[in-house]
Amino acid sequence: KDVPGLVIVNRFIKSIANRCVWVDNVAGGRSSAEFLLEKGHKDIAIISSTYDNRDPDDRIKGMQQVLAFEDRKIPESRIVRDIPSIEGAKVATKKLLETGEKFTAIAVYNDMMAFGVMNTLHDAGIRVPEDVSVIGFDNLHICEASRPELTTMHYPIEEMEVYATELTIKLTNEPDNLPSRTHLFVPTVVERKSVYDRTTD
């Protein structure tokens, strides 16, 4: 049975694309990589999630698209995945450091993982951002309370929720007026203190 006001938030389902309010994770990955390149970071590592959804791979795909143009595609040896939590990030960071790979920045799947990354780097005597820069994803309020304050990608979930609510009401009241377009939001960079500008060296 049809549900006139049905709207799907934070997922894209092709068969009902015009009812989906979703975020472009590929674009978010591209923006993250572009920002790091602008700051002079050419050797980048990724700490990502093991969760079984499209978001982690889409973000990595976006970063790889940008870096491929610079002949800087990130090798699998510099991509480490674990449970998307502070503890998972600590495990992943230790694994990354054990590889001996050289990098000046780490792009992290979410902000909670980024805090775990920064703590583990600190415990290893690696300064953030002077030695290794860190960029997260989500823009949690606590990013401003971390030291250093976390540079991150703003995930516009609140904006998406407001938009989805308005769309639901509209579709409930006007069930025959289903829009033909999708409803796509794009993450944006929020610059704070955890990414070092190497172009000034």
Side-chain angles (χ1 to χ4, degrees):
K1 184 178 180 179
D2 290 339
V3 181
L6 175 67
V7 171
I8 306 297
V9 181
N10 206 28
R11 282 291 172 268
F12 176 74
I13 302 173
K14 189 174 181 180
S15 60
I16 53 170
N18 51 359
R19 291 183 179 269
C20 295
V21 178
W22 57 295
V23 70
D24 190 337
N25 281 292
V26 176
R30 284 198 298 264
S31 294
S32 179
E34 288 167 353
F35 176 78
L36 292 175
L37 286 173
E38 288 170 2
K39 296 298 182 181
H41 296 278
K42 298 179 179 179
D43 297 312
I44 299 168
I46 295 174
I47 289 181
S48 190
S49 167
T50 54
Y51 275 13
D52 187 20
N53 62 47
R54 292 175 49 183
D55 296 357
D57 288 341
D58 281 352
R59 293 175 194 176
I60 293 171
K61 178 181 178 180
M63 294 195 73
Q64 296 284 33
Q65 287 175 350
V66 170
L67 292 164
F69 285 108
E70 302 288 329
D71 292 324
R72 291 282 178 178
K73 192 169 182 180
I74 302 170
E76 279 296 322
S77 54
R78 290 209 306 264
I79 302 174
V80 183
R81 298 169 175 83
D82 211 290
I83 298 169
S85 65
I86 290 177
E87 290 304 316
K90 289 179 179 179
V91 172
T93 307
K94 290 175 183 177
K95 288 180 181 177
L96 179 62
L97 294 176
E98 288 169 358
T99 67
E101 290 279 346
K102 301 300 181 183
F103 49 88
T104 63
I106 304 175
V108 189
Y109 175 70
N110 65 23
D111 293 340
M112 296 307 293
M113 292 190 83
F115 302 143
V117 170
M118 292 196 294
N119 288 342
T120 306
L121 292 175
H122 175 79
D123 291 345
I126 299 170
R127 300 172 300 168
V128 177
E130 295 88 350
D131 300 326
V132 174
S133 293
V134 176
I135 185 170
F137 206 110
D138 279 342
N139 194 28
L140 301 178
H141 293 304
I142 199 173
C143 292
E144 296 181 274
S146 68
R147 289 293 177 269
E149 295 179 8
L150 181 64
T151 294
T152 186
M153 300 299 299
H154 176 62
Y155 196 121
I157 189 63
E158 292 181 2
E159 297 94 319
M160 291 165 63
E161 289 171 348
V162 170
Y163 183 91
T165 300
E166 293 173 348
L167 181 60
T168 295
I169 293 170
K170 180 178 179 180
L171 294 179
T172 300
N173 294 332
E174 305 173 42
D176 296 327
N177 194 22
L178 184 64
S180 58
R181 66 183 186 280
T182 60
H183 313 279
L184 179 63
F185 287 71
V186 178
T188 54
V189 176
V190 179
E191 183 174 2
R192 294 191 179 95
K193 304 293 185 182
S194 65
V195 174
Y196 184 71
D197 188 352
R198 296 175 65 87
T199 65
T200 62
D201 290 347

